[in-house]
């Protein structure tokens, strides 16, 4: 049987998308470890203020809204996930302010965010969500906090009694506050409005339903009617399913899009992957033969074969890293494998260090790390390398002469 690279690419993509109910993009629930529904202002006003005007909205304390006395308690930062959950359980004891009272209060503004939680529960929930989002950003370099607009309520089968709730549109967001006792504020991050690719794949595979894409010619985030028009188009696609419906609701939660970026990249570049010998070899194509350059210097031979005047290293490198740099410059395909515990910066050094040696780049480079990118191209054509903690920055430009 002939080797089919397209089939292998689709297999790769299938492994990157989680379409199970463990994924909050498939089965969103508002709970202690999930997210929370935003009940005020109404979705249209929230879209206008958050997305169109890019304003900051405030989670107003219900006690301040109704003029009630502030509880005298010192906020303690829990150390474990179990402590966070216990803190939220304890925070709701003894608080009886109703949501209806707050909605009827004349002090309530459109810039205020309200939930069904008490002040104590809301504070504990937002601290937990903020902690999770901060950890993902600092340790992996990915944004996981999103505001979700519009939800599809659906069932896995005609006789299923479990209703699933999946977000349709997601916008990256951030939580912040001025001090411990201050109310939390919500703002959107710079970034595009995203569709739920996990849901789209699940519906396409199980029900042959194609969710509408965000076409550039029709998508306008500043158009107040665009959001509801997208909901209408989704409703048209699911009209054959009896109990399915789109609801105009808004929620804040943790959603992981890390692998979806790779999934989308594989789909958009499938033709380039299929035409690349190295990619075909990785996929298992038996007809591809890769050759290794014969003059690759070993670590002990570097001083004899590489003159210092010919090396333009951006960062300091040891002999093993210089060996990888020399191999890359001679056209070899290199996979860097570092021992457990080795800092990501050390593994990624050969990439930014080798680029100035072959300026302009005669080949493509790829740096992969679980944390945030350790180097990137700037608009001016420079190489900018950042540590995982942003503690240092190194910029390399084309060398004008050998020193």
């Amino acid at each position: 049987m002939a080797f089919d690279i397209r089939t292998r690419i689709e297999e790769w993509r299938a492994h990157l998308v989680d379409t199970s109910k463990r994924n909050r993009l498939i089965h969103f629930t508002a709970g202690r470890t999930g997210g929370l529904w935003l009940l005020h202002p109404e979705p249209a006003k929230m879209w206008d203020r958050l997305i169109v005007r890019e304003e900051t909205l405030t989670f107003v304390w219900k006690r301040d809204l109704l003029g009630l006395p502030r509880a005298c308690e010192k906020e303690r930062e829990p150390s474990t996930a179990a402590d966070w959950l216990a803190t939220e359980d304890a925070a709701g004891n003894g608080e009886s302010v109703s949501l209806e009272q707050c909605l009827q209060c004349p002090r309530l503004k459109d810039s205020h965010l309200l939930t069904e939680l008490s002040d104590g529960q809301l504070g504990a929930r937002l601290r937990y969500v903020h902690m999770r989002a901060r950890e993902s950003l600092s340790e992996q370099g990915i944004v996981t906090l999103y505001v979700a607009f519009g939800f599809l309520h659906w069932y896995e089968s005609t006789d299923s009694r479990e209703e699933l709730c999946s977000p349709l549109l997601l916008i990256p967001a951030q939580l912040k506050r001025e001090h411990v006792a201050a109310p939390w504020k919500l703002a959107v991050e710079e970034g595009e409005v995203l569709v739920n690719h996990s849901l789209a794949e699940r519906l396409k595979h199980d029900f042959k339903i194609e969710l509408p894409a965000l076409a550039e010619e029709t998508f306008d985030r500043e158009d107040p009617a665009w959001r509801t028009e997208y909901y209408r188009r989704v409703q048209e696609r699911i009209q054959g399913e009896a109990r399915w419906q789109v609801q105009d609701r808004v929620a804040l939660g943790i959603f992981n899009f890390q692998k979806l970026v790779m999934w989308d990249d594989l789909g958009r570049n499938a033709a380039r992957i299929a035409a690349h010998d190295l990619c075909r070899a990785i996929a298992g194509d038996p007809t591809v033969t890769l050759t290794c350059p014969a003059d690759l210097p070993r670590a002990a031979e570097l001083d004899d074969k590489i003159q210092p005047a010919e090396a333009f290293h951006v960062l300091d490198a040891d002999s093993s890293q210089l060996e990888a740099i020399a191999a890359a410059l001679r056209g070899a395909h290199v996979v860097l494998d570092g021992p457990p515990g080795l800092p990501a910066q050390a593994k990624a050094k050969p990439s930014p260090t080798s680029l100035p040696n072959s300026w302009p780049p005669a080949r493509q480079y790829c740096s992969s790390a679980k944390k945030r990118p350790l180097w990137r191209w700037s608009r001016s054509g420079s190489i900018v390398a950042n540590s995982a903690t942003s503690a240092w920055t190194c910029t390399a430009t084309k060398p004008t002469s050998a020193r």
Side-chain angles (χ1 to χ4, degrees):
M1 184 177 180
F3 178 80
D4 187 359
I5 183 65
R6 299 282 183 170
T7 301
R8 184 57 56 87
I9 293 174
E10 289 305 316
E11 291 176 356
W12 290 344
R13 299 185 77 206
H15 286 296
L16 293 172
V17 178
D18 182 7
T19 58
S20 68
K21 291 187 292 186
R22 298 188 302 270
N23 188 354
R24 293 192 184 95
L25 293 169
I26 299 295
H27 186 29
F28 175 81
T29 57
R32 296 182 301 176
T33 59
L36 61 162
W37 295 107
L38 306 181
L39 306 180
H40 179 274
E42 61 185 30
K45 293 182 179 179
M46 200 176 307
W47 179 276
D48 177 63
R49 287 182 173 271
L50 271 179
I51 312 303
V52 179
R53 304 186 193 180
E54 297 183 349
E55 296 181 358
T56 299
L57 304 186
T58 303
F59 285 94
V60 62
W61 298 127
K62 294 179 179 179
R63 59 176 181 258
D64 294 340
L65 196 61
L66 300 178
L68 300 178
R70 184 184 301 271
C72 296
E73 59 179 13
K74 184 178 180 180
E75 184 175 300
R76 180 180 63 87
E77 191 81 358
S79 56
T80 65
D83 290 340
W84 284 101
L85 303 183
T87 300
E88 182 174 334
D89 289 338
N93 297 334
E95 298 190 26
S96 58
V97 178
S98 67
L99 177 64
E100 288 72 19
Q101 288 178 281
C102 297
L103 292 175
Q104 297 173 4
C105 180
R107 299 179 182 176
L108 183 64
K109 302 177 181 179
D110 288 341
S111 60
H112 289 161
L113 293 170
L114 284 179
T115 71
E116 60 185 357
L117 303 176
S118 67
D119 286 349
Q121 290 174 322
L122 177 63
R125 180 78 59 84
L126 292 179
R127 293 201 307 274
Y128 176 75
V129 170
H130 178 259
M131 178 201 69
R132 291 280 308 278
R134 182 182 58 192
E135 287 180 350
S136 298
L137 187 61
S138 62
E139 296 181 4
Q140 296 179 302
I142 58 174
V143 175
T144 56
L145 182 62
Y146 289 83
V147 179
F149 282 85
F151 284 81
L152 174 64
H153 292 255
W154 59 290
Y155 297 84
E156 293 181 295
S157 62
T158 55
D159 57 349
S160 174
R161 295 184 179 181
E162 181 183 13
E163 182 184 59
L164 301 181
C165 179
S166 305
L168 293 175
L169 301 173
L170 300 107
I171 301 92
Q174 61 172 323
L175 283 170
K176 54 186 178 181
R177 59 179 175 177
E178 297 177 356
H179 52 82
V180 172
W184 287 92
K185 296 180 182 295
L186 176 67
V188 295
E189 294 273 15
E190 292 184 3
E192 59 183 2
V193 178
L194 304 174
V195 296
N196 190 341
H197 291 294
S198 295
L199 176 63
E201 285 296 301
R202 177 69 183 273
L203 298 185
K204 179 180 179 180
H205 182 270
D206 292 356
F207 302 95
K208 310 303 180 187
I209 295 176
E210 295 272 358
L211 287 182
L214 296 183
E216 294 183 0
E217 62 272 12
T218 59
F219 171 64
D220 183 7
R221 62 189 294 170
E222 296 186 359
D223 182 2
W226 178 88
R227 178 180 54 86
T228 53
E229 173 62 20
Y230 183 81
Y231 297 163
R232 185 192 65 79
R233 293 169 58 194
V234 174
Q235 190 67 50
E236 287 181 350
R237 304 288 177 93
I238 64 171
Q239 59 184 354
E241 305 295 332
R243 296 181 293 169
W244 294 23
Q245 61 176 327
V246 175
Q247 295 187 5
D248 192 6
R249 308 176 70 184
V250 186
L252 177 69
I254 298 293
F255 303 94
N256 195 336
F257 281 84
Q258 181 182 18
K259 293 184 179 180
L260 286 177
V261 176
M262 294 183 286
W263 172 87
D264 182 61
D265 191 52
L266 286 174
R268 289 186 293 104
N269 295 281
R272 297 176 61 188
I273 295 172
H276 200 290
D277 286 344
L278 178 59
C279 295
R280 297 185 69 93
I282 293 174
D285 188 349
T287 64
V288 176
T289 301
L290 299 178
T291 59
C292 182
D295 61 340
L296 297 183
R298 298 298 180 182
E301 304 171 337
L302 292 173
D303 292 340
D304 298 329
K305 293 188 176 182
I306 300 179
Q307 298 300 318
E310 299 174 357
F312 305 96
H313 296 158
V314 178
L315 307 174
D316 293 335
D318 59 27
S319 59
S320 62
Q321 293 165 342
L322 290 176
E323 186 178 0
I325 294 170
L329 294 177
R330 283 163 173 75
H333 301 295
V334 179
V335 176
L336 300 180
D337 185 13
L342 182 66
Q345 295 94 320
K347 299 177 185 179
K349 273 184 182 180
S351 296
T353 304
S354 62
L355 288 175
N357 287 271
S358 57
W359 201 289
R363 56 188 63 87
Q364 294 180 346
Y365 294 81
C366 177
S367 176
S368 176
K370 290 185 177 180
K371 297 187 178 183
R372 68 180 61 184
L374 296 172
W375 62 273
R376 60 182 173 82
W377 288 101
S378 69
R379 292 184 179 180
S380 61
S382 301
I383 310 161
V384 181
N386 296 311
S387 71
T389 58
S390 296
W392 51 267
T393 300
C394 181
T395 303
T397 57
K398 179 181 178 180
T400 56
S401 61
R403 297 189 181 95

